[in-house]
Amino acid sequence: MGCDGGTIPKRHELVKGPRKVEKVDKNAELIAQWYYCTLSQEQLRRPIVACELGRLYNKDAIIEFLLDKSSDKSPVQAASYIKSIKNVTELNLADNPAWNGDKGNTKGDKYDDIQCARFICPVVGLEMNGRHRFCFLRNCGCVFSERALKEIKTEVCHRCGVPFQEEDVIILNGNKEDVEVLKKRMENRRLKSKVGKKSKKCKSAELVSQQDITEDSPGPSEVKTAKGDMNTNFGERKQIVFTKSTANGSSSTSGKVSKVLAGTTKRSIADREEKSEAYKSIFTSHSSAKRSKEESSNWITHTAYYF
């Protein structure tokens, strides 16, 4: 029984050590991130936009994604947080003079340098191929290498001169830590915008209500003019009535004057009784102003101001 016919080896005898995990090619990963759109997987072409997490997209792909309102729309994690075109920024990129484009290798007989990037940093000159960290500014969309911002510290954009803060700098295709920091900034920014919109709506509603109140209630100048008009109208009416009474030659002027005063003024009898005797003596209806027929002069001497 010497195993002359041979034996079948078992799996643990053939496999030596732990099974190796297949590694993703770094070059292929960098090319996918920096040369192709994250949403449509097409080659990047101008206009190129970037989201608040630093991912690159073609602008037309974002517009198509936002306009697609169909129910069978497949959920895309790479663009689930993009709700409007305001959530992306159009990038202001600097062309690489050493890049020939797709026309250089049409026949396939020329070496195609994959590492040659289409865009570069306008300050330092580093190529935007994923080997170096790049970032952009949310305010203006200008793209620079992180080395340029660290070496030349300033609060103004190197290219267009727009002021910016540290929160406005977004890393392009950053690592997991960078993405987490950018997510927190994005959430805080959107919360602030919501609170600001609510406060603006409240202020606008208050302004509208105040305008309605001011339109309904007359101002002090309008009240004064109304009172002046009433006084002038009262004087005119009083004078006209007196001239008519004198023209007719009526002797009972006190009775007519009291009727005019009762018609024009809206004062009650109780208010008149509360006044003092000195105030009452001003009016012709007072007992001191009354005259007998003997004391009254001839009708020829009557004037418009005769009481």
Side-chain angles (χ1 to χ4, degrees):
M1 305 301 292
C3 296
D4 296 335
T7 59
I8 300 173
K10 295 182 179 179
R11 186 176 181 279
H12 69 274
E13 296 177 355
L14 296 174
V15 178
K16 295 181 180 179
R19 188 177 180 182
K20 293 182 180 181
V21 180
E22 295 181 359
K23 293 183 179 180
V24 180
D25 188 6
K26 290 184 179 180
N27 292 331
E29 187 178 2
L30 292 176
I31 290 170
Q33 290 179 350
W34 293 92
Y35 292 88
Y36 292 90
C37 174
T38 308
L39 184 61
S40 63
Q41 303 301 323
E42 295 179 357
Q43 191 172 3
L44 289 172
R45 57 184 181 276
R46 280 194 171 97
I48 300 172
V49 297
C51 64
E52 293 175 296
L53 300 183
R55 292 168 182 167
L56 300 174
Y57 306 88
N58 287 326
K59 190 173 183 180
D60 56 354
I62 293 292
I63 294 172
E64 290 176 2
F65 173 76
L66 294 174
L67 292 176
D68 187 8
K69 303 296 183 181
S70 58
S71 58
D72 57 346
K73 181 179 178 180
S74 60
V76 181
Q77 294 181 357
S80 59
Y81 51 88
I82 299 175
K83 304 299 181 181
S84 67
I85 197 67
K86 294 181 180 179
N87 299 139
V88 295
T89 305
E90 188 172 347
L91 300 181
N92 186 11
L93 298 161
D95 293 326
N96 185 7
W99 186 72
N100 296 324
D102 299 332
K103 297 180 180 179
N105 193 14
T106 55
K107 296 181 180 180
D109 56 351
K110 185 178 178 181
Y111 172 71
D112 191 5
D113 189 6
I114 301 175
Q115 302 302 323
C116 183
R118 182 178 178 181
F119 308 107
I120 61 171
C121 174
V123 179
V124 184
L126 295 175
E127 294 184 354
M128 199 175 75
N129 53 10
R131 301 290 179 182
H132 310 281
R133 287 169 64 88
F134 272 72
C135 56
F136 75 95
L137 306 179
R138 285 186 61 254
N139 298 339
C140 58
C142 294
V143 180
F144 303 98
S145 62
E146 192 178 30
R147 184 187 300 179
L149 293 179
K150 287 183 179 180
E151 291 181 357
I152 307 173
K153 294 183 180 180
T154 180
E155 296 179 354
V156 179
C157 178
H158 300 297
R159 194 168 186 180
C160 60
V162 175
F164 67 92
Q165 298 178 357
E166 187 178 356
E167 295 180 355
D168 299 327
V169 180
I170 297 179
I171 304 296
L172 289 172
N173 294 324
N175 51 25
K176 291 183 180 180
E177 296 177 357
D178 297 331
V179 172
E180 289 178 359
V181 173
L182 293 174
K183 271 186 180 179
K184 290 180 181 179
R185 290 181 182 178
M186 180 181 67
E187 292 173 356
N188 295 332
R189 198 180 298 115
R190 292 187 179 182
L191 285 174
K192 287 180 181 179
S193 65
K194 286 182 180 179
V195 173
K197 287 180 181 178
K198 288 182 180 179
S199 62
K200 285 181 181 179
K201 287 182 180 179
C202 295
K203 288 181 181 178
S204 62
E206 290 177 358
L207 289 173
V208 170
S209 61
Q210 288 178 1
Q211 288 178 358
D212 294 340
I213 292 170
T214 52
E215 288 177 358
D216 294 338
S217 61
S221 61
E222 294 177 357
V223 173
K224 289 182 180 178
T225 54
K227 288 183 178 178
D229 295 338
M230 290 175 65
N231 293 329
T232 54
N233 293 331
F234 171 72
E236 291 176 357
R237 288 178 183 177
K238 185 176 180 181
Q239 187 175 359
I240 291 166
V241 171
F242 287 150
T243 54
K244 287 183 178 179
S245 64
T246 54
N248 294 328
S250 62
S251 60
S252 60
T253 57
S254 61
K256 290 184 177 181
V257 171
S258 62
K259 288 181 181 180
V260 172
L261 293 173
T264 55
T265 58
K266 296 181 181 180
R267 298 175 182 175
S268 63
I269 298 172
D271 293 335
R272 291 181 182 179
E273 291 177 357
E274 291 177 2
K275 304 294 181 182
S276 62
E277 290 295 327
Y279 182 79
K280 290 179 181 180
S281 63
I282 297 172
F283 302 97
T284 57
S285 60
H286 194 258
S287 60
S288 61
K290 293 180 179 180
R291 296 179 183 181
S292 62
K293 292 183 179 179
E294 297 175 355
E295 293 177 353
S296 61
S297 59
N298 193 9
W299 65 272
I300 299 173
T301 60
H302 286 182
T303 63
Y305 299 98
Y306 177 75
F307 295 96

